[in-house]
Amino acid sequence: MRPEFFREVRERVSARDAAERYGATIDRHGRALCPFHNDHRPSMSFKGARFRCWSCGARGDCIDLTAQLLGLTPIQAVTRLNVDFGLGLGIGRPPTAAEREAAARRRDVDEAYRAFEEWREGFIAKLCAAIRTGNAAQHKAPDELTDAEVVALQWREAFERWADELSRGSAEEQTRIYHARKEVERWTRLASGGSMSSAN
């Protein structure tokens, strides 16, 4: 079975949808009796597209819930959800040209996102190191500062803002920093002791 079928089912069917479809009653608090143990007080909750039982520890997405509840393999659960929710996925037949093209586009987007996340995590670590350099240097006399410490002090506020935006900022803020990454990385290199020539 093609991986995109799993992704499509997870995106289009929530665990709560699957639970209700297969017999669960959701109370006004958004909880249900857990079908995986002898539950007397609703202990299964739903958040986003996932479920969790706070009593027995069962958790997962709609595929996990369907597979466990109906005694199916994950592949059988995807097939069952496709039918029961009328998703219209082409399970059991070769993909059409349009489906192949959409899958290729999605792979490109996924790869770009992975590359961005890898850069983001690494750059946040560099920003934190530059901030620590600035914090450690703030009590030194001016004539005791290294070139890297001078840069770290001068740019500390910007480093803090960038780290905050990359950690908790909007997609627009993070995209803006990513597009300006050559310039912003230049200052973190200088604050780490890199030369001006290596930062260009």
Side-chain angles (χ1 to χ4, degrees):
M1 181 175 288
R2 304 201 303 268
E4 58 264 30
F5 290 147
F6 285 84
R7 181 188 296 128
E8 188 85 10
V9 168
R10 287 185 181 110
E11 288 179 357
R12 294 173 62 184
V13 181
S14 70
R16 178 174 177 150
D17 293 337
E20 288 182 306
R21 175 79 169 98
Y22 301 126
T25 300
I26 313 294
D27 69 16
R28 61 191 176 90
H29 302 292
R31 291 184 173 246
L33 291 173
C34 178
F36 305 123
H37 73 281
N38 189 19
D39 201 6
H40 298 291
R41 294 176 54 198
S43 57
M44 180 178 282
S45 65
F46 303 89
K47 184 174 183 182
R50 299 182 64 82
F51 77 93
R52 177 176 182 180
C53 175
W54 295 91
S55 196
C56 74
R59 64 176 65 202
D61 56 30
C62 66
I63 298 171
D64 300 314
L65 187 141
T66 303
Q68 292 175 50
L69 190 61
L70 304 181
L72 305 173
T73 66
I75 290 174
Q76 291 169 331
V78 168
T79 303
R80 178 73 181 262
L81 288 161
N82 180 48
V83 171
D84 290 349
F85 283 88
L87 302 180
L89 302 177
I91 296 173
R93 65 163 171 76
T96 64
E99 288 169 342
R100 284 193 300 274
E101 186 179 319
R105 278 196 310 269
R106 187 156 212 158
R107 282 192 299 274
D108 290 344
V109 169
D110 288 348
E111 184 53 43
Y113 182 74
R114 275 193 296 274
F116 169 76
E117 280 300 306
E118 188 175 309
W119 171 83
R120 187 179 74 87
E121 288 178 19
F123 190 55
I124 288 172
K126 291 176 186 175
L127 287 167
C128 290
I131 292 165
R132 284 193 298 274
T133 299
N135 289 343
Q138 68 182 339
H139 302 297
K140 286 187 174 182
D143 60 340
E144 296 175 343
L145 295 173
T146 65
D147 290 343
E149 289 171 332
V150 170
V151 171
L153 282 170
Q154 289 174 337
W155 283 84
R156 185 173 50 171
E157 189 174 310
F159 294 158
E160 290 171 347
R161 185 180 70 251
W162 293 334
D164 187 57
E165 288 175 352
L166 285 172
S167 297
R168 296 184 293 275
S170 66
E172 292 78 16
E173 289 170 328
Q174 294 187 13
T175 300
R176 177 179 48 77
I177 295 170
Y178 184 67
H179 287 311
R181 65 189 178 278
K182 286 185 180 177
E183 180 64 17
V184 297
E185 286 174 347
R186 173 177 183 260
W187 295 109
T188 58
R189 277 194 294 273
L190 290 172
S192 300
S195 68
M196 194 64 105
S197 60
S198 69
N200 289 326

